[in-house]
């Protein structure tokens, strides 16, 4: 029983940090869960799926807290709401029609390691291609769709959602702060929708859970608290033009994961 709570705390910390820092939360959860199962035997596939819903709910609440003023202002900004919808359509379509393929990918740590290398490439490309400092008021529908396509690519575990969308926004001309803001505004429907789709499996009986709810609650709280601090720190790092630090980390983590998986074969 104690191992279940330790597992929840570890995954909550990983989710809270990696959901917002451009290093892929889904990828790190795959790696962390694989490590815990390999060396501690603390989880099962259905427990991991249920914990994933809880952890994503915690980080979703983090976004709502940090960007609460932007969300209030959004209620009267119909143009920005339309752009958020445009950016969300691609990931929504992929989530509905390719969910089974995405779920299968979540069981492959070696794929996750390779995808972390792709995240590093996105971060460096976005920084190198940055050509102007537009604000959200100048963003076009085309830019929103491009950012939405990069958010869709981030369904692959190991490709950072925040990293790919921030990099795409910068490459399309947004300044660093506004690219980050739009990235997390479109994260709200993306994360919320993904959680609803996972929850649907339990409601329809396609998936079941028989464990204690307390590790889930603990994981949710930990991911929320850690997520608030991680998101605020990321905003400062992006504004200070430090994305290449995260790119270097993704290269190291990606290579280490690939080599670890190859050593097990």
């Amino acid at each position: 029983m104690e191992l279940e709570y330790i597992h929840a705390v570890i995954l909550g910390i990983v989710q809270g940090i990696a959901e917002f820092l451009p290093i892929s939360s889904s990828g790190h959860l795959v790696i962390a869960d694989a490590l815990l199962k390999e060396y501690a035997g603390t989880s099962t596939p259905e427990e991991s799926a249920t914990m994933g819903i809880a952890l994503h709910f915690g980080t979703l609440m983090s976004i709502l807290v940090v960007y609460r003023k932007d969300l209030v202002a959004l209620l009267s900004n119909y143009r920005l709401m339309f752009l958020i919808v445009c950016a969300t359509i691609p990931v929504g379509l992929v989530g509905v029609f390719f969910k089974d393929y995405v779920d299968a990918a979540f069981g492959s740590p070696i794929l996750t390691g390779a995808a972390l290398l792709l995240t590093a490439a996105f971060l460096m490309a976005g920084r190198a291609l940055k050509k102007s400092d537009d604000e959200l008021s100048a963003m076009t529908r085309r830019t929103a769709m491009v950012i939405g396509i990069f958010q869709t690519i981030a369904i692959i575990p190991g490709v950072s959602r925040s990293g790919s969308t921030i990099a795409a926004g910068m490459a399309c001309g947004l300044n660093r702060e506004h690219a980050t803001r739009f990235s997390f505004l479109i994260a709200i429907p993306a994360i919320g929708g993904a959680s609803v789709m996972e929850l649907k499996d339990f409601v329809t009986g396609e998936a079941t859970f028989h464990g204690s709810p307390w590790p889930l609650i603990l994981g949710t709280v930990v991911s929320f608290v850690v997520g608030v601090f991680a998101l605020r720190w990321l905003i400062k790092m992006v504004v200070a033009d430090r994305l290449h630090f995260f790119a270097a980390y993704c290269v190291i983590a990606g290579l280490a994961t690939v080599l670890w998986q190859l050593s097990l074969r």
Side-chain angles (χ1 to χ4, degrees), residues 15-44:
Q15 172 72 12
I17 293 174
E19 177 66 46
F20 301 121
L21 303 189
I23 56 176
S24 178
S25 64
S26 60
H28 278 71
L29 286 175
V30 169
I31 296 168
D33 197 54
L35 286 168
L36 288 167
K37 285 190 287 188
E38 179 72 23
Y39 301 109
T42 60
S43 68
T44 66

Side-chain angles (χ1 to χ4, degrees), residues 15-258:
Q15 172 72 12
I17 293 174
E19 177 66 46
F20 301 121
L21 303 189
I23 56 176
S24 178
S25 64
S26 60
H28 278 71
L29 286 175
V30 169
I31 296 168
D33 197 54
L35 286 168
L36 288 167
K37 285 190 287 188
E38 179 72 23
Y39 301 109
T42 60
S43 68
T44 66
E46 70 177 31
E47 288 171 347
S48 298
T50 312
M51 181 62 76
I53 297 172
L55 297 176
H56 277 91
F57 178 76
T59 48
L60 177 60
M61 295 306 295
S62 299
I63 300 175
L64 298 180
V65 168
V66 174
Y67 282 104
R68 60 188 181 279
K69 293 181 180 179
D70 295 86
L71 292 172
V72 172
L74 184 63
L75 296 176
S76 59
N77 191 336
Y78 299 111
R79 180 178 180 277
L80 183 55
M81 281 195 286
F82 173 71
L83 293 175
I84 290 173
V85 171
C86 289
T88 303
I89 289 173
V91 73
L93 293 175
V94 171
V96 170
F97 294 107
F98 297 97
K99 179 178 179 293
D100 292 340
Y101 297 100
V102 173
D103 288 344
F106 268 78
S108 175
I110 194 168
L111 172 62
T112 298
L116 282 171
L117 300 178
L118 182 58
T119 293
F122 283 159
L123 292 174
M124 294 306 297
R127 188 167 180 260
L129 295 173
K130 184 178 179 297
K131 54 189 177 182
S132 59
D133 288 296
D134 293 339
E135 297 186 353
L136 287 180
S137 58
M139 188 171 66
T140 65
R141 182 173 57 184
R142 175 180 174 277
T143 296
M145 291 296 292
V146 170
I147 296 173
I149 290 171
F150 273 84
Q151 180 170 241
T152 301
I153 298 172
I155 287 180
I156 301 171
V159 177
S160 167
R161 195 210 62 81
S162 63
S164 59
T165 52
I166 291 172
M170 290 168 56
C172 289
L174 291 176
N175 66 39
R176 290 187 291 269
E177 181 180 358
H178 283 250
T180 304
R181 182 175 300 169
F182 190 71
S183 170
F184 287 108
L185 288 177
I186 65 175
I188 295 172
I191 297 174
S195 298
V196 169
M197 289 190 65
E198 291 292 342
L199 188 60
K200 176 183 69 68
D201 291 341
F202 291 91
V203 174
T204 59
E206 295 180 30
T208 57
F209 177 74
H210 304 290
S212 169
W214 293 111
L216 301 179
I217 295 172
L218 177 60
T220 302
V221 173
V222 171
S223 67
F224 165 71
V225 174
V226 174
V228 169
F229 287 100
L231 180 51
R232 288 174 174 166
W233 184 59
L234 172 64
I235 295 170
K236 294 179 181 178
M237 291 291 285
V238 173
V239 172
D241 192 19
R242 297 291 186 268
L243 282 179
H244 55 290
F245 290 176
F246 300 111
Y249 170 81
C250 287
V251 170
I252 295 171
L255 289 175
T257 301
V258 170

